[in-house]
Coordinates of all heavy atoms in Angstrom, one line a residue:
Chain B
M1 N 13.3 8.4 -26.1 CA 13.0 8.8 -24.7 C 13.3 7.7 -23.7 O 13.3 6.5 -24.1 CB 11.5 9.2 -24.6 CG 11.1 9.7 -23.2 SD 9.4 10.1 -23.1 CE 9.2 10.7 -21.5
Y2 N 13.6 8.0 -22.5 CA 14.1 7.1 -21.5 C 13.3 7.2 -20.2 O 13.1 8.3 -19.7 CB 15.6 7.6 -21.2 CG 16.6 6.5 -21.2 CD1 17.1 6.0 -22.4 CD2 17.0 6.0 -20.0 CE1 18.1 5.0 -22.4 CE2 17.9 4.9 -20.0 CZ 18.5 4.5 -21.2 OH 19.4 3.5 -21.2
Y3 N 12.8 6.1 -19.8 CA 12.1 6.1 -18.5 C 13.0 5.6 -17.4 O 13.3 4.5 -17.4 CB 10.8 5.3 -18.6 CG 9.8 5.8 -19.5 CD1 9.7 5.3 -20.8 CD2 9.0 6.9 -19.1 CE1 8.7 5.8 -21.7 CE2 8.0 7.4 -20.0 CZ 7.9 6.8 -21.3 OH 7.0 7.3 -22.1
L42 N 3.6 -8.4 -11.6 CA 4.4 -7.7 -12.5 C 5.8 -7.6 -12.1 O 6.8 -8.0 -12.9 CB 3.9 -6.2 -12.7 CG 2.8 -6.0 -13.7 CD1 2.3 -4.6 -13.7 CD2 3.2 -6.4 -15.1
G53 N 16.1 -8.0 -18.7 CA 14.8 -7.3 -18.7 C 13.8 -8.1 -19.5 O 14.0 -9.1 -20.1
V54 N 12.6 -7.5 -19.5 CA 11.5 -8.2 -20.2 C 10.7 -7.1 -20.9 O 10.6 -6.0 -20.5 CB 10.5 -8.9 -19.2 CG1 10.0 -8.0 -18.1 CG2 9.4 -9.6 -19.9
C55 N 10.3 -7.5 -22.1 CA 9.5 -6.5 -22.9 C 8.1 -6.4 -22.3 O 7.5 -7.4 -22.0 CB 9.4 -7.1 -24.4 SG 8.3 -6.1 -25.4
S56 N 7.7 -5.1 -22.2 CA 6.4 -4.9 -21.5 C 5.3 -5.5 -22.3 O 4.2 -5.7 -21.8 CB 6.2 -3.4 -21.2 OG 5.6 -2.8 -22.3
C57 N 5.5 -5.8 -23.6 CA 4.5 -6.4 -24.4 C 4.2 -7.8 -23.9 O 3.1 -8.4 -24.1 CB 4.8 -6.4 -25.9 SG 6.4 -7.3 -26.2
D58 N 5.2 -8.4 -23.2 CA 5.0 -9.7 -22.7 C 4.4 -9.7 -21.3 O 4.1 -10.7 -20.7 CB 6.4 -10.4 -22.6 CG 6.8 -10.9 -24.0 OD1 6.0 -11.2 -24.8 OD2 8.1 -10.9 -24.2
L59 N 4.2 -8.5 -20.8 CA 3.6 -8.4 -19.4 C 2.1 -8.2 -19.5 O 1.4 -8.4 -18.5 CB 4.3 -7.2 -18.7 CG 5.8 -7.3 -18.4 CD1 6.4 -6.0 -17.8 CD2 6.1 -8.5 -17.5
T60 N 1.6 -7.7 -20.6 CA 0.2 -7.4 -20.7 C -0.6 -8.7 -20.7 O -1.7 -8.7 -20.2 CB -0.1 -6.5 -21.9 OG1 0.8 -5.4 -21.9 CG2 -1.5 -6.1 -22.0
G61 N -0.1 -9.7 -21.4 CA -0.9 -10.9 -21.6 C -1.3 -11.6 -20.3 O -2.5 -11.7 -20.0
P62 N -0.3 -12.0 -19.5 CA -0.6 -13.0 -18.4 C -1.4 -12.5 -17.3 O -1.9 -13.2 -16.4 CB 0.8 -13.4 -18.0 CG 1.7 -12.4 -18.4 CD 1.1 -11.8 -19.6
S66 N -6.4 -4.8 -18.7 CA -6.2 -4.0 -20.0 C -4.8 -3.5 -20.1 O -4.1 -3.3 -19.1 CB -7.2 -2.9 -20.0 OG -6.9 -1.9 -19.1
Q67 N -4.4 -3.1 -21.3 CA -3.1 -2.6 -21.6 C -2.9 -1.3 -20.8 O -1.8 -1.1 -20.2 CB -2.9 -2.5 -23.1 CG -1.5 -2.0 -23.5 CD -1.5 -0.5 -23.5 OE1 -2.5 0.1 -24.0 NE2 -0.5 0.1 -23.1
P68 N -3.8 -0.4 -20.8 CA -3.6 0.9 -20.0 C -3.4 0.6 -18.5 O -2.6 1.3 -17.9 CB -4.9 1.7 -20.3 CG -5.4 1.2 -21.6 CD -5.0 -0.2 -21.7
T69 N -4.1 -0.4 -18.0 CA -4.0 -0.7 -16.6 C -2.6 -1.2 -16.3 O -1.9 -0.8 -15.3 CB -5.0 -1.7 -16.2 OG1 -6.3 -1.2 -16.3 CG2 -4.8 -2.2 -14.7
I70 N -2.1 -2.1 -17.1 CA -0.7 -2.6 -17.0 C 0.3 -1.4 -17.0 O 1.2 -1.3 -16.2 CB -0.4 -3.7 -18.0 CG1 -1.3 -4.9 -17.9 CG2 1.1 -4.1 -17.9 CD1 -1.2 -5.6 -16.6
S71 N 0.1 -0.6 -18.0 CA 0.9 0.6 -18.2 C 0.9 1.5 -16.9 O 2.0 1.9 -16.5 CB 0.5 1.4 -19.4 OG 1.2 2.6 -19.5
H72 N -0.2 1.6 -16.3 CA -0.4 2.4 -15.1 C 0.4 1.7 -14.0 O 1.2 2.4 -13.3 CB -1.8 2.5 -14.7 CG -2.1 2.9 -13.3 ND1 -1.8 4.1 -12.8 CD2 -2.6 2.1 -12.2 CE1 -2.1 4.1 -11.5 NE2 -2.6 3.0 -11.1
H73 N 0.3 0.4 -13.8 CA 1.0 -0.2 -12.7 C 2.5 -0.2 -12.9 O 3.3 0.0 -12.0 CB 0.5 -1.7 -12.7 CG -0.8 -1.8 -12.0 ND1 -1.1 -1.3 -10.8 CD2 -1.9 -2.5 -12.5 CE1 -2.4 -1.6 -10.5 NE2 -2.9 -2.3 -11.5
L74 N 2.9 -0.3 -14.2 CA 4.4 -0.2 -14.4 C 4.9 1.2 -14.1 O 6.0 1.3 -13.6 CB 4.7 -0.5 -15.9 CG 4.6 -2.0 -16.3 CD1 4.7 -2.2 -17.8 CD2 5.6 -2.8 -15.5
K75 N 4.1 2.2 -14.3 CA 4.5 3.5 -13.9 C 4.6 3.7 -12.4 O 5.6 4.3 -11.9 CB 3.4 4.5 -14.4 CG 3.8 6.0 -14.2 CD 2.7 6.9 -14.7 CE 3.1 8.4 -14.6 NZ 2.1 9.3 -15.1
V76 N 3.7 3.1 -11.7 CA 3.8 3.1 -10.2 C 5.1 2.4 -9.8 O 5.8 3.0 -8.9 CB 2.6 2.4 -9.6 CG1 2.8 2.3 -8.1 CG2 1.3 3.2 -9.9
R78 N 7.8 2.1 -11.5 CA 8.9 3.0 -11.9 C 9.1 4.1 -10.9 O 10.2 4.4 -10.5 CB 8.7 3.5 -13.3 CG 9.5 2.9 -14.3 CD 9.0 3.2 -15.8 NE 8.3 4.4 -15.9 CZ 7.2 4.5 -16.7 NH1 6.7 3.5 -17.3 NH2 6.6 5.7 -16.8
Q84 N 13.1 -0.1 -13.8 CA 13.5 0.9 -14.8 C 13.2 0.4 -16.2 O 13.1 -0.8 -16.4 CB 14.9 1.3 -14.7 CG 15.9 0.2 -14.9 CD 17.3 0.5 -14.4 OE1 18.0 -0.4 -14.0 NE2 17.6 1.7 -14.4
A85 N 13.0 1.3 -17.2 CA 12.7 0.8 -18.5 C 13.6 1.5 -19.5 O 14.0 2.7 -19.3 CB 11.3 1.1 -18.9
R86 N 14.0 0.7 -20.5 CA 14.8 1.4 -21.6 C 14.1 1.0 -22.9 O 13.6 -0.1 -23.1 CB 16.3 1.0 -21.6 CG 16.5 -0.3 -22.3 CD 18.0 -0.7 -22.4 NE 18.1 -1.9 -23.1 CZ 17.7 -3.1 -22.6 NH1 17.3 -3.2 -21.3 NH2 17.8 -4.2 -23.3
R87 N 14.1 2.0 -23.8 CA 13.4 1.8 -25.1 C 14.4 1.1 -26.1 O 15.6 1.4 -26.1 CB 13.0 3.1 -25.6 CG 12.1 3.0 -26.8 CD 11.6 4.3 -27.3 NE 10.3 4.8 -26.6 CZ 9.1 4.3 -26.8 NH1 9.0 3.3 -27.7 NH2 8.1 4.8 -26.2
E88 N 13.8 0.2 -26.8 CA 14.5 -0.5 -27.9 C 13.6 -0.5 -29.1 O 12.7 -1.4 -29.1 CB 14.9 -1.9 -27.4 CG 16.0 -2.5 -28.2 CD 17.1 -3.1 -27.3 OE1 17.5 -2.3 -26.4 OE2 17.6 -4.1 -27.6
G89 N 13.7 0.5 -29.9 CA 12.8 0.5 -31.0 C 11.4 0.9 -30.5 O 11.2 1.8 -29.8
T90 N 10.5 0.1 -30.9 CA 9.1 0.3 -30.5 C 8.9 -0.2 -29.1 O 7.9 0.2 -28.4 CB 8.1 -0.4 -31.4 OG1 8.6 -0.3 -32.8 CG2 6.8 0.3 -31.3
W91 N 9.7 -1.1 -28.6 CA 9.5 -1.8 -27.3 C 10.1 -1.1 -26.2 O 11.1 -0.4 -26.3 CB 9.9 -3.2 -27.4 CG 9.2 -4.1 -28.3 CD1 7.9 -4.6 -28.1 CD2 9.5 -4.5 -29.6 NE1 7.5 -5.3 -29.2 CE2 8.5 -5.2 -30.2 CE3 10.7 -4.2 -30.4 CZ2 8.5 -5.8 -31.4 CZ3 10.7 -4.8 -31.7 CH2 9.7 -5.5 -32.2
L92 N 9.6 -1.4 -25.0 CA 10.2 -1.0 -23.7 C 10.6 -2.2 -23.0 O 9.9 -3.2 -22.8 CB 9.2 -0.2 -22.9 CG 9.0 1.3 -23.3 CD1 8.0 1.9 -22.5 CD2 10.3 2.0 -23.3
W93 N 11.9 -2.2 -22.5 CA 12.4 -3.3 -21.7 C 12.5 -3.0 -20.3 O 13.2 -2.0 -19.9 CB 13.7 -3.8 -22.3 CG 13.6 -4.5 -23.6 CD1 13.4 -3.8 -24.8 CD2 13.5 -5.9 -23.9 NE1 13.3 -4.8 -25.8 CE2 13.3 -6.0 -25.3 CE3 13.6 -7.0 -23.1 CZ2 13.2 -7.3 -25.8 CZ3 13.4 -8.2 -23.7 CH2 13.2 -8.4 -25.0
Y94 N 11.9 -3.7 -19.4 CA 11.8 -3.4 -18.0 C 12.8 -4.3 -17.3 O 12.9 -5.5 -17.6 CB 10.4 -3.6 -17.5 CG 9.5 -2.5 -17.7 CD1 8.8 -2.3 -18.9 CD2 9.4 -1.4 -16.8 CE1 8.0 -1.2 -19.1 CE2 8.6 -0.3 -17.0 CZ 7.9 -0.2 -18.2 OH 7.1 0.8 -18.4
S95 N 13.5 -3.7 -16.3 CA 14.3 -4.5 -15.4 C 14.3 -4.0 -14.0 O 13.9 -2.8 -13.8 CB 15.8 -4.5 -15.9 OG 16.2 -3.2 -16.0
Chain C
dA21 P -12.7 -1.9 -21.9 OP1 -13.7 -2.9 -22.3 OP2 -11.3 -2.1 -22.2 O5' -13.2 -0.5 -22.5 C5' -14.4 0.1 -22.1 C4' -14.5 1.5 -22.6 O4' -13.6 2.4 -22.0 C3' -14.2 1.6 -24.1 O3' -15.1 2.7 -24.7 C2' -12.8 2.1 -24.1 C1' -12.7 3.0 -22.9 N9 -11.4 3.0 -22.3 C8 -10.5 2.0 -22.1 N7 -9.4 2.3 -21.5 C5 -9.6 3.7 -21.2 C6 -8.7 4.6 -20.6 N6 -7.5 4.3 -20.1 N1 -9.2 5.9 -20.5 C2 -10.4 6.2 -21.0 N3 -11.3 5.4 -21.6 C4 -10.8 4.1 -21.7
dA22 P -15.0 3.0 -26.2 OP1 -16.4 3.3 -26.6 OP2 -14.3 1.9 -26.9 O5' -14.2 4.3 -26.3 C5' -14.6 5.4 -25.4 C4' -13.6 6.5 -25.6 O4' -12.4 6.2 -24.9 C3' -13.1 6.7 -27.1 O3' -13.2 8.1 -27.4 C2' -11.7 6.2 -27.1 C1' -11.2 6.5 -25.7 N9 -10.2 5.7 -25.2 C8 -10.0 4.3 -25.4 N7 -8.9 3.8 -24.8 C5 -8.3 4.9 -24.2 C6 -7.1 5.1 -23.5 N6 -6.3 4.1 -23.2 N1 -6.8 6.3 -23.0 C2 -7.7 7.3 -23.3 N3 -8.8 7.3 -24.0 C4 -9.1 6.0 -24.4
dA23 P -12.8 8.7 -28.9 OP1 -13.9 9.7 -29.2 OP2 -12.6 7.5 -29.7 O5' -11.5 9.5 -28.6 C5' -11.4 10.3 -27.5 C4' -9.9 10.7 -27.3 O4' -9.2 9.5 -26.7 C3' -9.1 11.1 -28.5 O3' -8.5 12.3 -28.3 C2' -8.2 9.9 -28.8 C1' -7.9 9.4 -27.4 N9 -7.5 8.0 -27.3 C8 -8.0 6.9 -27.9 N7 -7.4 5.8 -27.6 C5 -6.3 6.2 -26.8 C6 -5.3 5.5 -26.2 N6 -5.1 4.2 -26.3 N1 -4.4 6.2 -25.4 C2 -4.6 7.5 -25.3 N3 -5.6 8.3 -25.8 C4 -6.4 7.6 -26.6
dG24 P -7.5 13.0 -29.4 OP1 -7.8 14.4 -29.3 OP2 -7.7 12.2 -30.6 O5' -6.0 12.7 -28.8 C5' -5.7 13.2 -27.5 C4' -4.3 12.8 -27.2 O4' -4.3 11.3 -27.1 C3' -3.3 13.1 -28.2 O3' -2.2 13.8 -27.5 C2' -2.8 11.8 -28.8 C1' -3.1 10.8 -27.7 N9 -3.4 9.5 -28.1 C8 -4.4 9.1 -28.9 N7 -4.4 7.8 -29.2 C5 -3.3 7.3 -28.5 C6 -2.7 6.0 -28.4 O6 -3.1 5.0 -28.9 N1 -1.6 6.0 -27.6 C2 -1.0 7.1 -27.0 N2 0.1 6.9 -26.3 N3 -1.5 8.3 -27.1 C4 -2.6 8.4 -27.8
dT25 P -1.0 14.5 -28.5 OP1 -0.6 15.7 -27.8 OP2 -1.5 14.5 -29.9 O5' 0.2 13.5 -28.3 C5' 0.7 13.2 -27.0 C4' 1.8 12.1 -27.1 O4' 1.2 10.9 -27.5 C3' 2.9 12.4 -28.2 O3' 4.1 12.2 -27.5 C2' 2.6 11.4 -29.3 C1' 2.0 10.2 -28.5 N1 1.2 9.3 -29.2 C2 1.5 8.0 -29.2 O2 2.5 7.5 -28.6 N3 0.6 7.1 -29.9 C4 -0.5 7.5 -30.6 O4 -1.2 6.7 -31.2 C5 -0.8 8.9 -30.6 C7 -2.0 9.5 -31.4 C6 0.1 9.8 -29.9
dA26 P 5.5 12.6 -28.3 OP1 6.4 13.2 -27.3 OP2 5.2 13.3 -29.5 O5' 6.1 11.2 -28.7 C5' 6.3 10.2 -27.6 C4' 6.8 9.0 -28.2 O4' 5.7 8.3 -28.9 C3' 7.9 9.1 -29.3 O3' 8.9 8.2 -29.1 C2' 7.2 8.8 -30.6 C1' 6.1 7.8 -30.1 N9 4.9 7.7 -31.0 C8 4.1 8.7 -31.3 N7 3.0 8.3 -32.0 C5 3.2 6.9 -32.1 C6 2.5 5.9 -32.8 N6 1.4 6.1 -33.5 N1 3.0 4.7 -32.7 C2 4.1 4.4 -32.0 N3 4.9 5.3 -31.4 C4 4.4 6.6 -31.5
dT27 P 10.4 8.5 -29.7 OP1 11.4 8.3 -28.6 OP2 10.3 9.7 -30.6 O5' 10.6 7.3 -30.7 C5' 10.4 5.9 -30.2 C4' 10.0 5.0 -31.4 O4' 8.7 5.3 -31.8 C3' 11.0 5.1 -32.6 O3' 11.7 3.9 -32.6 C2' 10.0 5.3 -33.8 C1' 8.7 4.9 -33.1 N1 7.5 5.5 -33.8 C2 6.6 4.6 -34.4 O2 6.7 3.4 -34.4 N3 5.5 5.3 -34.9 C4 5.2 6.6 -35.0 O4 4.2 7.1 -35.5 C5 6.2 7.5 -34.3 C7 6.1 9.0 -34.3 C6 7.3 6.8 -33.8
Chain D
dA4 P -3.0 0.5 -41.4 OP1 -3.7 -0.6 -42.2 OP2 -3.9 1.4 -40.7 O5' -1.9 -0.1 -40.5 C5' -0.8 -0.8 -41.0 C4' 0.1 -1.2 -39.9 O4' 0.9 -0.1 -39.4 C3' -0.6 -1.7 -38.7 O3' 0.1 -2.9 -38.2 C2' -0.6 -0.6 -37.7 C1' 0.7 0.1 -38.0 N9 0.8 1.5 -37.8 C8 -0.2 2.4 -38.0 N7 0.1 3.7 -37.6 C5 1.4 3.5 -37.1 C6 2.3 4.5 -36.6 N6 2.0 5.8 -36.5 N1 3.5 4.0 -36.2 C2 3.7 2.7 -36.3 N3 3.0 1.7 -36.8 C4 1.8 2.2 -37.2
dT5 P -0.6 -3.7 -36.9 OP1 -0.5 -5.1 -37.3 OP2 -1.8 -3.0 -36.5 O5' 0.5 -3.4 -35.8 C5' 1.9 -3.6 -36.0 C4' 2.7 -3.0 -34.9 O4' 2.6 -1.6 -34.9 C3' 2.2 -3.5 -33.5 O3' 3.3 -3.9 -32.7 C2' 1.5 -2.2 -32.9 C1' 2.4 -1.1 -33.6 N1 1.7 0.2 -33.7 C2 2.4 1.3 -33.4 O2 3.5 1.3 -32.9 N3 1.7 2.5 -33.5 C4 0.4 2.6 -33.9 O4 -0.1 3.8 -34.0 C5 -0.3 1.4 -34.3 C7 -1.7 1.5 -34.8 C6 0.4 0.3 -34.2
dA6 P 3.1 -4.5 -31.3 OP1 4.1 -5.6 -31.1 OP2 1.7 -4.8 -31.0 O5' 3.6 -3.3 -30.4 C5' 5.0 -2.9 -30.4 C4' 5.1 -1.8 -29.4 O4' 4.4 -0.6 -29.8 C3' 4.6 -2.1 -28.0 O3' 5.6 -1.7 -27.0 C2' 3.4 -1.3 -27.8 C1' 3.7 -0.1 -28.7 N9 2.5 0.6 -29.3 C8 1.4 0.0 -29.9 N7 0.5 0.9 -30.3 C5 1.0 2.1 -30.0 C6 0.6 3.4 -30.2 N6 -0.6 3.7 -30.8 N1 1.4 4.4 -29.8 C2 2.5 4.1 -29.2 N3 3.1 2.9 -28.9 C4 2.3 2.0 -29.4
dC7 P 5.5 -2.2 -25.5 OP1 6.8 -2.4 -24.9 OP2 4.5 -3.3 -25.4 O5' 4.8 -0.9 -24.8 C5' 5.6 0.3 -24.8 C4' 4.8 1.5 -24.6 O4' 3.7 1.5 -25.6 C3' 4.1 1.6 -23.3 O3' 4.8 2.5 -22.5 C2' 2.7 2.2 -23.6 C1' 2.8 2.5 -25.1 N1 1.5 2.4 -25.8 C2 0.8 3.5 -26.2 O2 1.4 4.6 -26.0 N3 -0.4 3.4 -26.9 C4 -0.9 2.3 -27.1 N4 -2.1 2.2 -27.8 C5 -0.2 1.0 -26.7 C6 0.9 1.2 -26.1
dT8 P 4.3 3.0 -21.0 OP1 5.5 3.4 -20.2 OP2 3.3 2.0 -20.5 O5' 3.5 4.3 -21.4 C5' 4.1 5.4 -22.1 C4' 3.2 6.6 -22.1 O4' 2.1 6.3 -23.0 C3' 2.6 7.0 -20.8 O3' 2.8 8.4 -20.7 C2' 1.2 6.6 -20.8 C1' 0.9 6.7 -22.3 N1 -0.2 5.8 -22.8 C2 -1.3 6.3 -23.4 O2 -1.5 7.5 -23.6 N3 -2.2 5.4 -23.9 C4 -2.1 4.0 -23.8 O4 -3.0 3.3 -24.2 C5 -0.9 3.5 -23.1 C7 -0.8 2.1 -22.9 C6 0.0 4.4 -22.7
dT9 P 2.4 9.2 -19.3 OP1 3.4 10.2 -19.1 OP2 2.2 8.2 -18.3 O5' 1.1 9.9 -19.7 C5' 0.9 10.5 -20.9 C4' -0.5 11.0 -21.1 O4' -1.4 10.0 -21.6 C3' -1.2 11.6 -19.8 O3' -1.7 12.8 -20.2 C2' -2.2 10.5 -19.5 C1' -2.6 9.9 -20.9 N1 -3.0 8.5 -20.9 C2 -4.2 8.2 -21.6 O2 -4.9 9.1 -22.1 N3 -4.6 6.9 -21.6 C4 -3.8 5.9 -21.0 O4 -4.2 4.7 -21.1 C5 -2.6 6.3 -20.3 C7 -1.8 5.2 -19.7 C6 -2.3 7.6 -20.3
dT10 P -2.4 13.7 -19.0 OP1 -2.1 15.1 -19.3 OP2 -2.1 13.1 -17.7 O5' -4.0 13.5 -19.3 C5' -4.4 13.5 -20.7 C4' -5.9 13.3 -20.7 O4' -6.2 11.8 -20.8 C3' -6.7 13.8 -19.5 O3' -7.9 14.5 -20.0 C2' -7.1 12.5 -18.8 C1' -7.2 11.5 -19.9 N1 -7.0 10.1 -19.5 C2 -7.8 9.1 -20.0 O2 -8.8 9.3 -20.7 N3 -7.5 7.8 -19.6 C4 -6.4 7.4 -18.9 O4 -6.2 6.3 -18.6 C5 -5.5 8.5 -18.4 C7 -4.3 8.2 -17.6 C6 -5.9 9.8 -18.8

Side-chain angles (χ1 to χ4, degrees):
Chain B
M1 185 182 181
Y2 226 82
Y3 294 101
L42 272 178
V54 56
C55 174
S56 86
C57 57
D58 287 328
L59 297 173
T60 308
S66 72
Q67 181 271 320
T69 296
I70 298 297
S71 176
H72 162 68
H73 285 309
L74 287 171
K75 183 180 185 180
V76 173
R78 254 167 26 223
Q84 61 197 149
R86 85 174 181 288
R87 188 176 275 283
E88 197 129 317
T90 323
W91 293 281
L92 286 177
W93 289 81
Y94 278 88
S95 57

